[in-house]
Amino acid sequence: ATKPRLEERFAGHPGVGTLNALDWMRYGSIQMPDGEDLTFAEDRAVIDWLNAHVAGSPVIAEASIGPYRCNGSRISINTGLPTIIGWERHETQQRYLDGLVERVEDVRDLYASPDPEVKLAILRRYDVRYVVVGQLERFYPVIDQNDCVPTNPTAGIAAFDTMIGRSLEVAFQSGTTIVYRVLPPGA
């Protein structure tokens, strides 16, 4: 298995010499079905920022697209912060199924719905403190048996900006990737 794995490395892989498990995010990319390259350098900046500036274990929201697909749940995995739903298939193997389908649907609605009230209700339901909107969330695929199919949540992503000042504020930004902080009720 070693030879095929070595042949599947990302283009630009510097070879051996690091024990930094996040180093691949500097150069790694995945070509999406629409031809766009999904990159991870901005996600790495978010991970580093959360690890350096966020205390405790606040809940974050991010795309969850299943295990081994486009690095879904990449922020929670690399920060240890809880998220609304992790790798869905792993959750079905390791947890009770009660509420699982609702969580998956709520995360999809959070990113796809253009209605700020729907978004805010989901954020409050799960006590979310930070919302990640990166390249993966803008693509937000639905996984079928063989492929990633984009849902094109453009209107849903744009709706986050309408919530700034009322229920969200920008906590961090790296390129086009934004981390929103959820403001407490009545703020």
Side-chain angles (χ1 to χ4, degrees):
T2 301
K3 185 178 185 309
R5 289 290 181 225
L6 291 174
E7 292 170 353
E8 290 180 358
R9 288 185 171 176
F10 288 116
H13 187 280
V16 297
T18 183
L19 294 176
N20 182 344
L22 300 180
D23 193 48
W24 68 272
M25 296 180 99
R26 284 187 304 109
Y27 55 82
S29 67
I30 298 170
Q31 188 170 35
M32 303 307 283
D34 65 358
E36 183 179 351
D37 280 342
L38 178 65
T39 60
F40 300 97
E42 292 177 9
D43 292 338
R44 172 66 190 270
V46 168
I47 291 164
D48 290 344
W49 181 81
L50 286 167
N51 283 333
H53 295 96
V54 174
S57 296
V59 177
I60 63 169
E62 66 178 321
S64 173
I65 60 172
Y68 315 114
R69 302 282 185 166
C70 311
N71 203 26
S73 302
R74 74 253 184 240
I75 308 300
S76 62
I77 288 169
N78 290 296
T79 61
L81 296 174
T83 188
I84 297 171
I85 184 72
W87 286 5
E88 182 182 347
R89 289 187 200 117
H90 283 195
E91 295 289 332
T92 63
Q93 296 166 352
Q94 300 168 8
R95 311 258 186 299
Y96 295 108
L97 299 180
D98 297 341
L100 179 64
V101 171
E102 291 82 6
R103 285 177 177 265
V104 171
E105 289 173 358
D106 280 347
V107 172
R108 287 198 180 123
D109 287 346
L110 176 65
Y111 288 102
S113 175
D115 185 342
E117 294 305 316
V118 168
K119 291 178 177 314
L120 186 58
I122 293 167
L123 295 172
R124 300 281 189 238
R125 181 175 309 127
Y126 298 104
D127 194 26
V128 173
R129 297 277 305 282
Y130 294 95
V131 180
V132 176
V133 177
Q135 194 177 8
L136 187 58
E137 285 76 19
R138 286 181 176 85
F139 176 77
Y140 209 106
V142 172
I143 304 301
D144 67 17
Q145 296 291 49
N146 302 308
D147 209 353
C148 295
V149 180
T151 59
N152 193 18
T154 305
I157 297 299
F160 284 114
D161 284 341
T162 68
M163 299 169 70
I164 293 174
R166 293 180 295 134
S167 50
L168 298 177
E169 66 183 6
V170 175
F172 178 76
Q173 185 165 358
S174 175
T176 61
T177 299
I178 301 170
V179 177
Y180 296 99
R181 182 179 294 113
V182 180
L183 299 173

